[in-house]
Amino acid sequence: MVANERTGDSSRVRNILRWAVQRRLTITFFLLGMVILLFIFIPLGKMIFSSSPATLWDTLLEGEVRSAIWLSIYTALIATAVGLVLGVPLAYFLARHSFPGKRLVEALIDVPIVVPHIAAGIALLFVFGKGFFVGSAFDAIGIDFVFAVPGIIIAMIFVSVPFLIDSAKQGFEKVDVRLEKVARTLGASPWQTFFRVSLPLARRSIAGGSVMMWARSISEFGAVLVLASHPKIAPILVYDRLEEYGLDYALPVATLLIIICIGIFVVLRTIAYRGERA
Amino acid sequence: MIEIKKLTVNLGDFLLDGIDLGVDKGEYFIILGPTGAGKTVLLEAIAGLHPIKMGEIWLDGREVTKLEPEKRGIGFVYQDYALFPHLTVKGNLLFGLKQRKWPKEERGRVMEWLAELLGITPLLERSTDTLSGGERQKVALARALSTSPQVLLLDEPLSALDPQHREGVQQELRQIHRRLKQTIIHVTHDFEEAIALGDRIAVLGAGHILQIGTPEEIFRQPNSEFVARFAMTRNIFTGEVRGGDGGPAIIAVGGTQFEVVSELRGRLHASLRPEDILVSREPLISSARNSLRGTITRIADRGATLYLTVSTPPDFVCLVTRRSFEELGLAEGGEVYVTFKASAVHIF
């Protein structure tokens, strides 16, 4: 009896061991994955739970905080809208045509992702400042970029539009060209074909890219700091408070920003990927 | 009706060179060629979907060479149907109709009529990814017909279908052609499809039109290796298929008739492979349903094997090994029996 139990135990142990050996890749990857997940979640969670709800509420009632958050949200939205109007046509063009130097163009589009954003801000300052013809031309029609809302928007566009273009391009590449050809034989003009076939079929990639662009815009700091550190978008307000009053004052604003961003991000992602199968 | 003059299309590795074709109004025209002959591109060029290097395309006496595809009045069905995945079956059928400035009810009527014609009315609300291959093909056909095209171009319309659906869609094509007097250009690599459907066939190979003629002409006097090789490997008959009295189906070819296995009835074609025919000096007692007496009229020596033409009539080409040929003592003019199973005959 006792002997039997022991052999039962040892065979169970052997089974578990065999199971572990057979799945050693899965187990290893699971453990490594857990490390990176915790690395992402713990700081965010700690931050959210280190401010009391009362403090957060008080912070939200501050006019300066609210206007900074609101400014961040709507400038990021305008940046994304501009990105859609100008980026989607380019994405479609790149998905449908091949030409010498296409690789180079595609690489250039991604450059804003790799350059330090402070440097990107300085580059924009050179072009959109009044010392250069682009800046002075806009100045002539009354649009200022330096220390102004348009400056925030172009800084956001510059650093985040690659996400939208890349995603939209991949979306258009997945649309079978023959669907567009069939649409033509059914009497649709190139414009109608684009709006009735290509665009609806790429809509998820475009929506996903827009969410990415919006999220990247709202989190932008470096380029905006150089070009338009005033009016203050939320990340700049957090930075200012950290510099002037220290961590205790910066923390609630930062927490609010994270909570609001996560909330909007989740909502937008849900809308963008609605109906998509897992 | 549709005339193609000296059409030249660059395909990268080779050219479709100096294609001349004339298709009459209401004709079912087949372009037959091996895979990779540029058949799809030829159709796309006709529809204006692929740039051409040289040549002219005339439709009903009007030159359309430089016209945009949407203004040509040419319908197109791709091999894998290319249904719009973001639209329902109904949405697909209405796509072309919406381009017309018709009242909404009128569009709906045409859409319903098309659905009726192709027997897809129950599918109208379905999403296209829930359809079987045969259903997709019917939707694609209905959609292409929705604009009342002067010519309907079909790119391998049957090749992506499994055999059961193929027969159904083939019937559908015949019906559309007859009922609507629709001019059709259909490209395929499949001989039986070409013979079954084509009023005339053009054989495309190596970038050129090699031969144009009726199925009979193409098949009896092939001038391309591609066709000749196929013609060697099939006995093709045309005849009337009817149900036997409570028994199996029977095809009557000229004065001779034999049993076949098929649900199809009417004037059809039958094919039989030479290697599926047994040749004997005496009538055979076997499970094979067909045994016919005939005379050897021709012997083609291929070394280890020989092709015998046995006239019953009609002529059956039979494959025998040299060994059998010698052991049976066969010779031209000799009387033999040809025996084959009813199930070895393919009706199409």
Side-chain angles (χ1 to χ4, degrees):
Chain A
M1 192 67 187
V2 173
N4 272 350
E5 257 172 28
R6 202 173 291 148
T7 49
D9 278 349
S10 72
S11 76
R12 200 173 305 138
V13 169
R14 225 181 294 128
N15 280 339
I16 291 169
L17 273 176
R18 194 186 304 131
W19 178 87
V21 167
Q22 280 169 349
R23 287 172 181 65
R24 55 190 183 275
L25 176 118
T26 314
I27 292 167
T28 312
F29 283 15
F30 174 79
L31 292 174
L32 291 174
M34 282 310 289
V35 172
I36 194 73
L37 279 179
L38 292 174
F39 175 71
I40 293 171
F41 289 143
I42 289 176
L44 291 176
K46 168 121 179 56
M47 186 160 186
I48 289 169
F49 293 111
S50 55
S51 303
S52 73
T55 320
L56 288 180
W57 182 248
D58 287 344
T59 311
L60 193 59
L61 291 180
E62 281 179 53
E64 195 188 19
V65 171
R66 262 187 303 166
S67 64
I69 289 174
W70 173 238
L71 180 66
S72 278
I73 290 174
Y74 89 80
T75 48
L77 274 176
I78 294 173
T80 308
V82 174
L84 278 170
V85 173
L86 300 178
V88 169
L90 173 64
Y92 184 69
F93 186 86
L94 289 173
R96 282 294 175 265
H97 299 275
S98 57
F99 51 87
K102 183 179 172 183
R103 282 283 169 82
L104 184 68
V105 172
E106 286 173 337
L108 280 175
I109 290 168
D110 286 341
V111 163
I113 296 174
V114 297
V115 298
H117 288 180
I118 294 269
I122 292 173
L124 287 170
L125 188 60
F126 269 120
V127 173
F128 288 92
K130 283 168 202 158
F132 194 63
F133 78 92
V134 177
S136 51
F138 275 105
D139 187 44
I141 57 169
I143 298 178
D144 251 341
F145 292 99
V146 183
F147 293 117
V149 171
I152 299 171
I153 293 169
I154 57 161
M156 286 176 168
I157 294 172
F158 189 84
V159 297
S160 62
V161 79
F163 293 99
L164 175 54
I165 296 175
D166 287 345
S167 178
K169 188 180 68 157
Q170 283 169 21
F172 285 128
E173 277 165 355
K174 274 186 265 167
V175 176
D176 190 343
V177 182
R178 287 169 314 160
L179 294 174
E180 296 173 358
K181 289 183 172 179
V182 163
R184 298 292 300 279
T185 67
L186 291 169
S189 69
W191 287 97
Q192 290 167 324
T193 301
F194 178 77
F195 284 107
R196 294 183 60 191
V197 178
S198 325
L199 194 62
L201 285 172
R203 70 182 184 279
R204 284 202 186 113
S205 300
I206 295 169
S210 302
V211 173
M212 278 306 294
M213 178 170 178
W214 180 84
R216 188 64 201 76
S217 291
I218 212 162
S219 59
E220 180 51 25
F221 173 71
V224 177
L225 181 72
V226 176
L227 211 57
S229 58
H230 203 277
K232 284 180 195 166
I233 54 167
I236 288 180
L237 181 69
V238 174
Y239 180 72
D240 275 1
R241 294 207 165 179
L242 187 66
E243 286 284 275
E244 285 174 40
Y245 311 108
L247 193 57
D248 287 347
Y249 281 88
L251 187 64
V253 186
T255 307
L256 266 182
L257 189 59
I258 286 181
I259 291 172
I260 290 169
C261 283
I262 290 176
I264 297 179
F265 189 63
V266 166
V267 169
L268 287 181
R269 263 186 76 102
T270 314
I271 295 169
Y273 295 105
R274 182 186 41 191
E276 191 154 28
R277 273 169 233 158
Chain B
M1 170 65 185
I2 177 160
E3 260 185 293
I4 294 151
K5 298 177 184 167
K6 306 239 171 318
L7 185 73
T8 302
V9 181
N10 195 343
L11 290 180
D13 334 343
F14 68 102
L15 287 178
L16 275 180
D17 202 2
I19 304 290
D20 279 299
L21 285 178
V23 178
D24 295 329
K25 200 173 186 70
E27 189 173 22
Y28 201 124
F29 194 86
I30 298 264
I31 297 173
L32 177 66
T35 311
K39 302 189 296 286
T40 303
V41 173
L42 175 57
L43 285 192
E44 288 196 341
I46 295 171
L49 300 169
H50 195 279
I52 66 173
K53 263 185 83 170
M54 265 176 6
E56 294 171 9
I57 300 158
W58 291 72
L59 207 59
D60 273 342
R62 172 176 76 125
E63 196 189 344
V64 298
T65 319
K66 295 201 166 58
L67 215 57
E68 291 106 319
E70 63 267 29
K71 294 181 181 146
R72 291 195 187 195
I74 292 180
F76 205 110
V77 176
Y78 275 106
Q79 179 170 359
D80 51 7
Y81 330 123
L83 299 180
F84 300 125
H86 58 307
L87 302 175
T88 59
V89 170
K90 197 174 183 175
N92 269 274
L93 297 192
L94 285 172
F95 188 94
L97 294 168
K98 277 187 184 156
Q99 300 297 335
R100 306 184 156 199
K101 304 283 166 262
W102 288 352
K104 207 173 169 203
E105 311 80 71
E106 183 66 23
R107 283 189 231 142
R109 248 202 315 281
V110 174
M111 188 268 295
E112 278 161 20
W113 173 78
L114 281 167
E116 191 88 15
L117 180 75
L118 282 139
I120 51 173
T121 310
L123 309 177
L124 283 176
E125 303 300 331
R126 293 259 292 273
S127 138
T128 56
D129 55 7
T130 65
L131 304 180
S132 74
E135 290 168 342
R136 278 159 195 257
Q137 185 59 285
K138 287 178 190 177
V139 175
L141 279 168
R143 183 181 63 178
L145 289 168
S146 69
T147 53
S148 323
Q150 284 161 295
V151 185
L152 182 59
L153 306 181
L154 307 175
D155 180 16
E156 300 264 7
L158 304 174
S159 65
L161 300 173
D162 50 49
Q164 314 133 261
H165 288 120
R166 194 174 301 173
E167 231 160 52
V169 174
Q170 191 165 310
Q171 298 292 347
E172 218 63 71
L173 290 174
R174 265 206 200 95
Q175 191 202 351
I176 288 166
H177 176 234
R178 292 204 186 125
R179 277 186 58 184
L180 306 181
K181 314 246 179 313
Q182 178 70 50
T183 311
I184 294 177
I185 302 179
H186 168 150
V187 306
T188 180
H189 66 273
D190 187 303
F191 288 84
E192 296 189 348
E193 206 173 300
I195 292 162
L197 288 165
D199 293 325
R200 282 192 305 149
I201 297 173
V203 180
L204 185 69
H208 299 278
I209 297 285
L210 301 172
Q211 194 175 9
I212 297 183
T214 62
E216 188 79 8
E217 286 163 5
I218 299 286
F219 200 71
R220 300 293 168 212
Q221 295 116 33
N223 74 352
S224 59
E225 213 204 311
F226 169 62
V227 178
R229 208 185 302 139
F230 174 81
M232 270 310 276
T233 59
R234 297 285 193 292
N235 289 286
I236 303 275
F237 307 105
T238 308
E240 195 73 24
V241 181
R242 56 186 163 76
D245 308 317
I250 284 169
I251 182 166
V253 181
T256 308
Q257 54 182 36
F258 48 89
E259 283 183 20
V260 297
V261 181
S262 175
E263 299 300 318
L264 302 176
R265 298 290 179 264
R267 192 149 184 84
L268 290 159
H269 305 271
S271 85
L272 175 62
R273 290 169 177 272
E275 61 269 31
D276 287 338
I277 303 176
L278 292 172
V279 177
S280 59
R281 304 216 46 158
E282 302 293 331
L284 285 181
I285 297 165
S286 72
S287 67
R289 301 292 306 164
N290 299 301
S291 201
L292 305 166
R293 197 173 67 158
T295 314
I296 299 175
T297 54
R298 196 167 155 264
I299 296 170
D301 197 331
R302 290 281 183 276
T305 56
L306 300 99
Y307 284 97
L308 312 178
T309 306
V310 178
S311 179
T312 65
D315 289 353
F316 286 83
V317 176
C318 319
L319 180 71
V320 294
T321 60
R322 173 160 300 281
R323 187 109 183 244
S324 311
F325 180 75
E326 282 167 0
E327 281 180 8
L328 288 168
L330 300 177
E332 226 166 278
E335 273 208 354
V336 289
Y337 288 84
V338 291
T339 305
F340 52 93
K341 298 169 80 166
S343 59
V345 183
H346 178 224
I347 297 294
F348 60 98

